[in-house]
């Protein structure tokens, strides 16, 4: 599973929360690939994935959360997508 956090530099909320979100995701899905995508450097890729708002989280190339989630929200979405129920 691949999780991508789309953000812009200077986003204090992203900076404060991204480590906790990454830790939550890796705890739940040990072989997970976590990637942080600076939209200013990869705007074409963000458009290709369908990112419309920042910050956003894509899971396996699909926008799953169009705002920065709490750890609980990310956990719920990963469980749902991993086929283990909610």
């Amino acid at each position: 599973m691949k999780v991508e956090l789309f953000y812009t530099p200077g986003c204090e909320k992203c900076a404060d929360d991204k480590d906790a979100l990454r830790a939550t995701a890796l705890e739940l899905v040990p072989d997970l690939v976590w990637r942080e995508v600076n939209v200013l450097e990869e705007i074409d890729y963000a458009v290709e994935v369908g990112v419309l708002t920042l910050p956003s989280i894509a899971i396996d190339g699909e926008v799953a959360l169009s705002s920065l989630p709490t750890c609980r929200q990310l956990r719920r979405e990963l469980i749902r997508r991993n086929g283990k129920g909610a």
Side-chain angles (χ1 to χ4, degrees):
M1 182 178 287
K2 180 177 173 183
V3 175
E4 296 170 296
L5 169 63
F6 290 84
Y7 73 98
T8 56
C11 173
E12 290 180 32
K13 182 73 171 151
C14 298
D16 290 345
D17 293 349
K18 69 181 178 181
D19 290 338
L21 290 168
R22 187 175 97 240
T24 296
L26 289 170
E27 177 184 312
L28 189 63
V29 185
D31 61 342
L32 177 115
V33 174
W34 177 271
R35 183 168 179 254
E36 295 169 15
V37 181
N38 176 344
V39 175
L40 298 179
E41 294 176 355
E42 298 188 56
I43 188 70
D44 291 337
Y45 179 62
V47 169
E48 179 183 319
V49 172
V51 173
L52 298 176
T53 60
L54 296 173
S56 286
I57 290 193
I59 300 174
D60 292 333
E62 177 184 320
V63 175
L65 299 155
S66 58
S67 63
L68 196 65
T70 63
C71 289
R72 174 181 265 173
Q73 290 168 324
L74 178 60
R75 182 178 180 81
R76 189 177 326 132
E77 187 63 22
L78 290 172
I79 290 170
R80 186 181 75 77
R81 289 176 180 262
N82 222 11
K84 296 178 183 174

